[in-house]
Amino acid sequence: MPLNELDIFADILAFHVEAGIDVALGEAPVDRFKESAAEASARAATRPAPAVPAARPAPASPPRPVSEPRRAAPAQPAAPAMNMAAPPPPDVATVEARDAALSAPTLEALRAIVEGFDGCPLKHTATRLVFSDGNPLARLMFVGEAPGRDEDIEGKPFVGRSGKLLDRMMAAIGLDRTGAYIANVVPWRPPGNRTPTPQETAICLPFIRRQIELANPDILVCLGGPSAQTLLGIKDGITKARGRWVEYETGTRTIPALATFHPAYLLRTPLGKRMAWRDFLAISKALGELPRTTSS
Ligand code: URA
């Protein structure tokens, strides 16, 4: 029987939803990976200068050597100046994010600061902030890339299908969400689950770095290549980089960090579970061997 027009539209819509394209943002597509310097500075020219002080140098992606001086957390929470008009150009937003993040003395303060931050365009397309789940006092912290649709609805990281798999992987080493703190490099869902642009990631990086510093875990686990590349400075693909311990400088101390496969990858590639299981055994062993510095 020939399909009528409505059936065809319904099929196309269903295809888009399955592909993660479930929000309509505009009539014409925008390639944000290709925003030119000229466009960025044109936008900058229409915007007042940021009302925050000059920034520290950008945190390098690779972990800092242990011998470098440690950075003390400022004593006073200071609400960052937010610009509610045109979004700032990415380099300005990154500086604002860095200063705002550094001003947070606690995780609660940081959450409030991120909630009020307007410098990342993803905030305006996401339903809500996806800041964290699990136990902020846990010795183990997982960091993924960015929330998906289910996370955007619930406001918590890793609650969809890949989150359920992460729960099962944790259970396999005797942990549940009371034994881990969970966050993402980017705390807002990119529309249609697209990859965050390098600019969006750069803007959000100071927040996740501060979140790790304040949570102060004994072990950091990056879920997937993008998280490992952003936080650990790993250049290799995840297949090569996974399972290798590196050092991560939180800002107050150096902790061991490991990259492993993202659960979403494991859902697509079940053969990878064997390697991921090895990684989780290594995490469990390290938790047993490392001196306990947190209360949970
Ligand atoms: N994938 C991620 O990287 N993070 C989530 O929170 C969910 C899926």
Side-chain angles (χ1 to χ4, degrees), residues 24-246:
L25 297 176
E27 294 295 322
V30 179
D31 186 349
R32 298 193 190 282
F33 289 88
K34 286 211 182 119
E35 183 180 52
S36 68
E39 285 166 331
S41 50
R43 274 201 298 123
T46 62
R47 182 172 181 279
V52 289
R56 295 183 301 124
S61 310
R64 275 177 277 154
V66 196
S67 55
E68 271 191 35
R70 303 200 186 289
R71 162 162 58 85
Q76 290 302 315
M82 298 301 169
N83 189 327
M84 303 305 290
D91 50 343
V92 174
T94 305
V95 170
E96 289 182 353
R98 194 181 311 140
D99 291 331
L102 278 178
S103 74
T106 62
L107 284 170
E108 297 75 48
L110 182 65
R111 175 197 272 272
I113 284 169
V114 180
E115 190 96 59
F117 182 74
D118 279 323
C120 181
L122 293 177
K123 176 184 180 180
H124 306 289
T125 51
T127 310
R128 68 191 88 252
L129 173 72
V130 178
F131 187 72
S132 68
D133 195 25
N135 181 356
L137 299 176
R139 300 176 64 211
L140 176 62
M141 179 165 179
F142 290 105
V143 181
E145 182 184 21
R149 183 166 181 270
D150 297 312
E151 291 74 22
D152 183 62
I153 292 167
E154 280 201 34
K156 285 183 186 166
F158 286 99
V159 292
R161 279 185 73 218
S162 46
K164 302 277 178 290
L165 177 55
L166 178 61
D167 287 343
R168 290 202 295 280
M169 291 159 80
M170 281 198 284
I173 56 167
L175 294 176
D176 60 19
R177 290 198 181 209
T178 62
Y181 183 58
I182 307 173
N184 282 303
V185 170
V186 170
W188 292 284
R189 181 203 184 195
N193 293 352
R194 66 159 169 74
T195 301
T197 64
Q199 291 89 343
E200 289 157 358
T201 300
I203 293 167
C204 296
L205 183 58
F207 292 132
I208 185 62
R209 286 184 63 87
R210 184 67 170 161
Q211 197 171 352
I212 297 168
E213 180 177 4
L214 291 168
N216 194 24
D218 288 339
I219 294 176
L220 174 68
V221 175
C222 290
L223 296 170
S227 167
Q229 280 146 15
T230 305
L231 291 173
L232 308 180
I234 285 173
K235 302 275 179 287
D236 290 326
I238 189 66
T239 309
K240 194 158 173 211
R242 57 138 288 277
R244 217 192 292 151
W245 288 103
V246 296

